[in-house]
Amino acid sequence: FIREIYGFAKENWKHISLRAVSIGVWFSLVALKGEKIGRCLFSSPLFDMKRMICSLMVASRVTEEQLEKEKIIKSDFGQTLNWDYFVFARENPVGTIGRTSVFYATGDELIPKSEIDDFANNNFCRLTVYNGGEHWIHKENDLRIMEEWEENEIENFTD
């Protein structure tokens, strides 16, 4: 679906940007690997799906061998672990992309700061760390701060 939207945008506009949040970042970057993206704005981004799945496996006390053997395991906390999905995530890390700005809240309970730092350093990203907030930016003040960040990043972007 993401590639279809990108194809439509490519046919109709000269410059294409990407705005994504959380797991949408990973799905978008995997789907658009090799495509030209002029500008990216990401908040609470998930860059390493394999790490996320491995964290869920550890929390569920499931080994890679168990998952490979059983193929699908339902965790105690409601997440379903799927071997094929794990293999896909392992084989599809996100790569280098165009100009990117990242908004990260220090209270993010799902994405470790080290993952954000690694991606930002390897991709020469502009990183804004918001002291406060959570993974799901939803409180009025947090939304206002993220909106200000978005406006600032868009205003200060030059081709």
Side-chain angles (χ1 to χ4, degrees):
F1 186 68
I2 294 169
R3 290 204 59 85
E4 291 172 11
I5 293 170
Y6 179 83
F8 176 80
K10 196 173 174 180
E11 289 175 11
N12 292 282
W13 290 278
K14 185 177 180 180
H15 300 283
I16 300 169
S17 296
L18 174 63
R19 175 68 171 100
V21 178
S22 189
I23 195 170
V25 171
W26 184 78
F27 282 120
S28 296
L29 293 178
V30 169
L32 299 175
K33 194 175 281 186
E35 296 292 353
K36 185 177 186 240
I37 303 171
R39 177 74 171 160
C40 299
L41 294 177
F42 298 146
S43 56
S44 303
L46 173 62
F47 293 121
D48 189 346
M49 180 63 81
K50 179 186 172 216
R51 183 215 44 87
M52 177 65 77
I53 295 170
C54 286
S55 294
L56 293 171
M57 289 168 62
V58 167
S60 300
R61 295 185 290 295
V62 172
T63 66
E64 193 172 318
E65 293 76 21
Q66 285 175 289
L67 187 57
E68 182 178 19
K69 181 181 177 189
E70 295 183 39
K71 303 297 184 208
I72 296 175
I73 299 174
K74 186 138 187 149
S75 73
D76 294 339
F77 49 90
Q79 292 287 340
T80 300
L81 300 167
N82 181 303
W83 173 252
D84 292 336
Y85 191 60
F86 175 73
V87 170
F88 181 81
R90 184 174 59 197
E91 293 175 355
N92 289 282
V94 297
T96 305
I97 53 174
R99 293 177 164 168
T100 301
S101 295
V102 173
F103 183 82
Y104 178 79
T106 57
D108 193 320
E109 66 283 1
L110 296 178
I111 311 297
K113 176 80 166 42
S114 60
E115 181 176 324
I116 301 301
D117 289 338
D118 288 346
F119 186 86
N121 291 334
N122 292 331
N123 289 281
F124 308 104
C125 296
R126 288 173 48 119
L127 174 59
T128 299
V129 177
Y130 166 49
N131 190 19
E134 302 168 358
H135 181 75
W136 306 112
I137 306 291
H138 64 284
K139 294 178 183 169
E140 189 174 329
N141 187 56
D142 299 339
L143 290 168
R144 182 185 52 75
I145 291 169
M146 185 174 65
E147 184 177 326
E148 289 172 4
W149 165 77
E150 288 172 328
E151 289 172 0
N152 183 57
E153 291 301 315
I154 291 168
E155 284 176 19
N156 292 312
F157 175 72
T158 55
D159 285 327

